[in-house]
């Protein structure tokens, strides 16, 4: 193949630009660039004689990268006849076919591709688009029902079909939405993967694709159950490489698959989830505000421990939380008392002002923000919602009103409510609050420092005192 990398990229980019935004969105079509395809091929380290297929090949980036690595038994399939025609003209030496590789049974796809045996490996970036509205799925009733149970998305169907396309023990390496790892709608698919497949590695790509909502991962599986003690290699795309994070036993996951940075990170998670009840177990009332009144508090009215446009109420038993959560700012909440709340506010009902202030101290702490960011949102840098389904998972230390930690946290929150917002004294009280919360959760100095370092990577430095930044560097 004489086509240079620069020439191939130009051909692929030209074709992708020819597709309207509407067509790409409706069909979930967003092509993978060559650098990412090359990194995925290097990660797999397939033997030269392997039979490799991309069932949703688009402009053929993965197959072009595989050809340059010496692979010659390459097969591409796509339902877009125009892009397959382009591939045939520009990528000689690779077998391309026009077919729907997702809905029909695997045997039909393999026959169309000219294969008499199942491939050794599948690699690609299947389309992801909800199977609603104008998007439909072919295939038999049983397959469509399974897709509906597992998440009702085209990428879900592509992944399930891949298990039939590739040979037993073969490799599947697909770019898929990151929320597959933790969103409740994909629970059945996760359980299937965890119990019947071997997860070789997961690479966190972040928000890699422009104009694609959400973040992505590279999920690499072996089409066979995991051996006893198997560890999943967790990695992250950093500085143009797949940087290793840690290895976590597959058997330690039963549903949500969290992307831990290290063994120490996992140990903090275990400490928090094993020793404490959750916010949802201890505080029953948690819901979005409903008021349409012009006097109602909106999310943008709230600042940490107070309001931008009104004084704090003196009575009542509610906490108002800005519903839009940004990892840079963390939780933004204030005592709501008996005020009205708009839909952009999550309302948490306590029992009295003192308990509300204790909860406010915990929610604003770096520890609880780390728990939300890493263990509820799975380290997503995108703007999320501070909804009850996430907040309810936060672990809470015992609410012992006579205990030293409880009294110290409530006292510091009162100082933060009445102090000059963002002043030096206010910031020093906020730092004291973090330390009081670490004590309440029984964390060691080393664990507290690791949490602070982790939050410094994602949270704005404005929420750290100069002294704390210097101590951590």
């Amino acid at each position: 193949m004489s086509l240079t990398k620069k020439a191939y990229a130009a051909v692929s980019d030209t074709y992708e630009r020819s597709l309207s935004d509407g067509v790409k969105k409706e069909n979930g079509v967003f092509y993978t660039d060559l650098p990412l395809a090359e990194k995925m091929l290097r990660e797999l380290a397939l033997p030269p004689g392997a039979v490799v297929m991309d069932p949703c090949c688009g402009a053929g980036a993965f197959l072009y990268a595989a050809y340059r690595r010496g692979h010659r038994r390459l097969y591409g399939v796509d339902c877009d006849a125009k892009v397959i025609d382009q591939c045939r003209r520009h990528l000689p030496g690779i077998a391309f076919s026009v077919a729907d590789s997702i809905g029909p049974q695997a045997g039909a796809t393999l026959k169309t591709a000219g294969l008499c045996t199942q491939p050794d490996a599948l690699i690609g970036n299947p389309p992801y688009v909800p199977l609603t509205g104008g998007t439909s799925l072919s295939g038999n009733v049983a397959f469509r029902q399974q897709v509906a149970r597992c998440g009702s998305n085209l990428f879900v169907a592509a992944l399930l079909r891949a298990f039939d396309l590739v040979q037993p023990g073969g490799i599947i390496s697909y770019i898929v939405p990151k929320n597959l790892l933790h969103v409740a709608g994909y629970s059945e698919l996760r359980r299937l993967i965890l119990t019947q497949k071997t997860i070789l590695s997961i690479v966190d790509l972040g928000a890699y694709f422009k104009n694609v909502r959400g973040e992505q991962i590279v999920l690499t599986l072996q089409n066979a159950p995991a051996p006893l003690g198997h560890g999943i290699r967790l990695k992250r795309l950093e500085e143009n490489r797949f940087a290793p994070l840690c290895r976590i036993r597959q058997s330690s996951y039963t549903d949500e698959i969290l992307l831990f940075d290290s063994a120490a990170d996992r140990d903090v998670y275990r400490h928090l989830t094993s020793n404490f009840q959750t916010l949802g177990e201890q505080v029953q009332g948690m819901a979005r505000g409903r008021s349409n009144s012009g006097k109602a508090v909106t999310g943008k009215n709230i600042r940490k421990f107070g309001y931008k446009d009104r004084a704090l109420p003196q009575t009542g038993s509610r906490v108002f939380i800005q519903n839009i959560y940004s990892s840079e700012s963390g939780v933004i909440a204030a005592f709501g008392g008996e005020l009205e709340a708009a839909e952009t506010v999550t309302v948490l009902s306590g029992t009295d002002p003192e308990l509300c202030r204790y909860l406010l101290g915990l929610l604003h702490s770096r520890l609880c923000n780390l728990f939300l960011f890493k263990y509820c949102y799975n380290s997503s840098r995108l703007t999320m919602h501070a909804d009850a389904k996430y907040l309810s998972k936060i672990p809470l230390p015992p609410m012992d009103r006579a205990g030293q930690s409880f009294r110290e946290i409530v006292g510091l929150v009162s100082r933060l409510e009445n102090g000059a917002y963002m002043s030096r004294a206010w910031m020093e009280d906020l730092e004291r609050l973090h330390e009081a919360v670490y004590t309440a959760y029984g964390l060691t100095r080393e664990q507290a420092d690791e949490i602070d370092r982790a939050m410094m990577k994602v949270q704005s430095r404005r929420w750290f005192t100069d002294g704390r930044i210097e101590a951590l560097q």
Side-chain angles (χ1 to χ4, degrees):
M1 186 182 298
S2 59
L3 200 64
T4 66
K5 291 172 65 173
K6 185 175 180 180
Y8 168 77
V11 169
S12 177
D13 291 346
T14 298
Y15 185 79
E16 184 175 6
R17 285 197 300 270
S18 74
L19 301 174
S20 69
D21 291 341
V23 168
K24 288 191 284 188
K25 182 177 180 181
E26 181 180 344
N27 296 284
V29 176
F30 294 93
Y31 289 163
T32 308
D33 61 39
L34 192 55
L36 179 55
E38 290 175 328
K39 281 188 273 289
M40 289 174 62
L41 261 299
R42 284 197 297 270
E43 182 80 4
L44 292 181
L46 298 170
V51 177
V52 182
M53 171 187 274
D54 182 347
C56 304
C57 68
F62 293 101
L63 299 171
Y64 176 79
Y67 192 95
R68 289 183 62 87
R69 288 185 64 83
H71 297 286
R72 293 297 180 265
R73 303 172 71 186
L74 303 172
Y75 298 82
V77 179
D78 201 280
C79 59
D80 182 348
K82 290 183 179 180
V83 79
I84 289 297
D85 179 63
Q86 174 180 283
C87 287
R88 286 170 174 161
R89 284 187 285 114
H90 294 289
L91 302 178
I94 300 173
F96 290 99
S97 305
V98 180
D100 172 7
S101 65
I102 298 176
Q105 292 186 346
T109 300
L110 296 175
K111 183 177 180 180
T112 301
L115 280 164
C116 56
T117 59
Q118 294 162 295
D120 299 300
L122 302 182
I123 186 168
N125 180 10
Y128 20 108
V129 60
L131 290 169
T132 56
T135 304
S136 60
L137 178 67
S138 61
N140 60 38
V141 173
F143 180 66
R144 295 200 305 271
Q145 289 176 340
Q146 184 185 25
V147 172
R149 292 193 305 270
C150 288
S152 198
N153 193 294
L154 206 53
F155 90 85
V156 172
L159 191 53
L160 291 172
R161 184 58 77 206
F163 301 150
D164 299 325
L165 283 169
V166 78
Q167 66 173 303
I171 304 299
I172 302 163
S173 188
Y174 277 1
I175 299 171
V176 295
K178 185 177 178 179
N179 60 15
L180 163 65
L181 301 177
H182 57 273
V183 167
Y186 301 126
S187 288
E188 184 161 334
L189 178 57
R190 285 196 298 274
R191 284 192 289 271
L192 185 156
I193 291 171
L194 288 168
T195 58
Q196 299 181 29
K197 311 299 174 184
T198 301
I199 304 176
L200 298 177
S201 66
I202 301 173
V203 182
D204 187 352
L205 298 178
Y208 190 86
F209 293 88
K210 293 181 180 179
N211 302 318
V212 177
R213 186 176 180 180
E215 299 185 0
Q216 299 80 41
I217 59 169
V218 177
L219 177 66
T220 302
L221 308 171
Q222 186 171 20
N223 197 24
L228 187 66
H230 169 72
I232 304 171
R233 300 190 305 274
L234 302 181
K235 301 188 177 188
R236 180 181 295 128
L237 179 61
E238 290 181 347
E239 298 179 352
N240 202 34
R241 68 187 185 97
F242 291 169
L245 299 175
C246 62
R247 189 183 291 260
I248 302 294
R249 283 193 177 187
Q250 183 166 325
S251 59
S252 68
Y253 295 113
T254 56
D255 182 11
E256 295 183 351
I257 301 173
L258 299 178
L259 301 180
F260 297 108
D261 287 347
S262 63
D265 183 17
R266 180 198 56 197
D267 290 344
V268 168
Y269 174 76
R270 286 179 174 173
H271 173 79
L272 295 175
T273 55
S274 300
N275 296 302
F276 305 101
Q277 288 186 300
T278 65
L279 181 62
E281 291 170 331
Q282 297 192 59
V283 178
Q284 298 303 316
M286 210 182 315
R288 287 278 197 104
R290 294 184 177 181
S291 178
N292 294 318
S293 167
K295 296 180 180 180
V297 175
T298 64
K300 66 181 181 180
N301 296 142
I302 307 172
R303 63 167 173 79
K304 290 182 185 288
F305 303 102
Y307 298 97
K308 299 175 183 177
D309 60 350
R310 69 194 73 195
L312 281 170
Q314 298 302 307
T315 59
S317 58
R318 298 189 298 172
V319 171
F320 286 0
I321 305 167
Q322 191 179 101
N323 183 260
I324 298 298
Y325 178 91
S326 162
S327 59
E328 290 189 0
S329 299
V331 167
I332 297 177
F335 178 57
E338 297 174 349
L339 296 174
E340 296 180 69
E343 190 179 6
T344 53
V345 174
T346 298
V347 180
L348 190 158
S349 299
T351 56
D352 55 72
E354 187 175 65
L355 179 60
C356 286
R357 286 180 168 85
Y358 180 67
L359 295 173
L360 277 169
L362 299 177
L363 289 170
H364 281 109
S365 70
R366 290 191 192 118
L367 186 150
C368 285
N369 276 276
L370 174 114
F371 194 92
L372 276 173
F373 171 69
K374 292 186 69 66
Y375 311 135
C376 294
Y377 304 134
N378 222 349
S379 300
S380 174
R381 296 294 188 103
L382 300 178
T383 299
M384 307 294 287
H385 289 283
D387 285 332
K389 64 181 178 180
Y390 299 116
L391 295 172
S392 63
K393 297 179 181 181
I394 295 175
L396 291 187
M399 293 187 285
D400 177 10
R401 293 174 183 265
Q404 182 177 350
S405 290
F406 187 98
R407 304 311 316 168
E408 185 176 4
I409 289 170
V410 170
L412 285 165
V413 170
S414 295
R415 287 169 61 94
L416 289 160
E417 289 177 331
N418 295 299
Y421 182 64
M422 295 296 292
S423 66
R424 181 173 179 177
W426 191 92
M427 289 299 302
E428 289 174 350
D429 281 337
L430 182 62
E431 202 62 62
R432 293 186 187 100
L433 174 66
H434 296 312
E435 291 300 317
V437 170
Y438 289 141
T439 299
Y441 282 92
L443 296 186
T444 65
R445 180 73 263 160
E446 291 76 14
Q447 289 173 323
D449 288 347
E450 281 303 309
I451 290 172
D452 282 3
R453 288 191 184 95
M455 292 309 295
M456 275 182 61
K457 295 178 182 178
V458 296
Q459 203 165 31
S460 171
R461 293 292 182 94
R462 70 193 293 246
W463 301 114
F464 291 79
T465 62
D466 292 340
R468 190 61 184 138
I469 292 173
E470 292 174 3
L472 293 170
Q473 290 177 336

